[in-house]
Every structure is written in structure tokens, then in C-alpha cells.
Amino acid sequence: MRKYALPDPAIRRRVEVALRSLGEYTERPEQSCVYRLDFAAGDERVVVKQYTNGTLFLQSSRSAGPLFERLTQTIDRAAGAGPQRSVSAGAAQVGAARGPRGMTPGVEVERPFDSPWIGSDESGKGDYFGPLVACAVYVDDRSLALLETLGVRDSKLLSDAQIRRLARDVRAVCAERAAEVLVPPERYNALYEQLRAEGKNLNSLLA
């Protein structure tokens, strides 16, 4: 068993993202918990509970197993604090000054809509070699805070390496609330001809 005191919401978000990125868990609701993740590897089981009061609690089916060690190391790296210790105000201020990965400190994100909402976009239309790719993500207040902490923003402001990393993060945070559709060139051509015969255009295909 191990406990962490994580009073800073931004640090709790970083820890949650880091844990979810590991996979290998099932999730279930629990009273007084923000989330409960049940991890499994072989015959080892570890339950992770983030309580609303800021306490993060780990309970393992056996002492000091490899899964338990991997989880505690992940938490230590994400939180910057050891077990049974609060993250200091100074450390929290440093984290706040740095801001989310790749984002400029002090820049406010404009949100024209109240959450939740679904954002979607597509890429690759008319590409001779690759597929048309369409993606959509359902975002509520909690997942929005996690994505902002990670540094998710307009892809035009990101490098290819950042996009690949953030794609993994988005899948980890949003899980079944994210959808991706790939349409290879042959299928794209067939659909396009079918829609043209119906008097429709490329926008109908993208939709």
C-alpha cells in the first residue's frame, strides 16, 4: 500500500494522464474518488484511487511487485514528489510557471463554447498515396483540463514529433470517447464516384 498527498490540481492531472498512458487497466466508479483504475499484469493486481481530497492511494495484491514498482515510478516522475509527501508550494509554482508541455505560460485558451462538445477534423483529402483520415473527440471539463495540461493545441503549431506524442496522449485520455476513420485511396475513389452519382460533392464524403 502507498499513499501520495497531491493537493495541486495540475499535478493530479499530470499523474492521471501518466497513469492512463500505461494502459492495462479497467476503470470503475467509487464513492469519494475522482477515478479508480484497476491495473493487472500476470497475477499481480494494483488498484489506484484518486480521492477528491487530493490523496492518491495504491493497493497491491502483493508487496513490491514489478507492476506496483512501475506505477509508483510513473507517479513519482509525474508528481515530482515521493510517497506520504505533499508537493511543496514552490514546486507547484515552478510547474505553473512552466505551463503545459510546449505551451507559452500566461496564454489563455479561448473557448467559444461551453463543454461538453465533440471536435472533429480530417486530413489527406485528395492525397494520392495515403488515406483520408477523419477523427472526432468528445471533450468535457475534466478531459479538457487534462488535454490542456498535456499541451494539445492547433496542429499547425506543433512539430511532427509532438503530434505523434500528443496523439498517443489523446487516445489515452479520451479512450472510447475518441474515434478515428481511415479511408484508403481505392475506397475513397469508390465513395466519391457514388456520391457524385447522387449529386453530392466532396463535403458530403468528408461529413
Side-chain angles (χ1 to χ4, degrees):
M1 184 181 75
R2 186 167 295 184
K3 291 183 180 180
Y4 292 79
L6 305 176
D8 184 81
I11 293 174
R12 290 200 296 271
R13 289 196 294 268
R14 287 203 300 271
V15 169
E16 181 180 357
V17 169
L19 288 170
R20 289 182 182 278
S21 68
L22 297 175
E24 304 172 4
Y25 68 83
T26 57
E27 185 170 4
R28 66 181 68 181
E30 181 150 333
Q31 188 175 5
S32 302
C33 288
V34 180
Y35 61 86
R36 168 181 166 162
L37 306 178
D38 292 18
F39 289 85
D43 61 350
E44 186 181 3
R45 303 287 185 272
V46 181
V47 177
V48 180
K49 301 178 184 180
Q50 175 63 69
Y51 287 95
T52 54
N53 65 2
T55 299
L56 184 70
F57 176 83
L58 284 77
Q59 185 172 15
S60 178
S61 59
R62 64 186 194 186
S63 61
L67 175 60
F68 184 80
E69 291 301 318
R70 183 154 63 99
L71 290 170
T72 56
Q73 289 171 9
T74 297
I75 294 167
D76 289 342
R77 285 195 299 269
Q84 299 286 6
R85 289 193 295 147
S86 298
V87 176
S88 68
Q93 289 169 0
V94 169
R98 287 176 182 162
R101 286 184 288 179
M103 294 195 73
T104 304
V107 174
E108 292 294 328
V109 178
E110 182 179 352
R111 299 176 189 156
F113 310 106
D114 292 330
S115 68
W117 69 80
I118 297 175
S120 65
D121 203 358
E122 81 289 324
S123 179
K125 54 181 179 287
D127 193 321
Y128 186 79
F129 298 102
L132 169 70
V133 181
C135 301
V137 178
Y138 174 95
V139 179
D140 56 18
D141 286 333
R142 183 156 165 265
S143 57
L144 176 62
L146 290 168
L147 294 173
E148 286 183 342
T149 298
L150 288 165
V152 172
R153 60 197 188 282
D154 189 336
S155 62
K156 297 180 183 66
L157 305 175
L158 299 167
S159 67
D160 289 349
Q162 288 175 312
I163 289 172
R164 284 191 290 270
R165 173 181 60 76
L166 288 171
R168 292 192 298 270
D169 291 340
V170 170
R171 293 185 186 106
V173 170
C174 298
E176 72 280 358
R177 294 183 173 187
E180 304 169 43
V181 176
L182 278 70
V183 183
E186 297 85 353
R187 179 61 176 158
Y188 176 98
N189 291 338
L191 286 171
Y192 185 72
E193 290 302 322
Q194 176 185 334
L195 289 168
R196 283 188 61 188
E198 297 173 2
K200 300 176 182 178
N201 56 27
L202 176 60
N203 289 333
S204 300
L205 174 57
L206 297 178

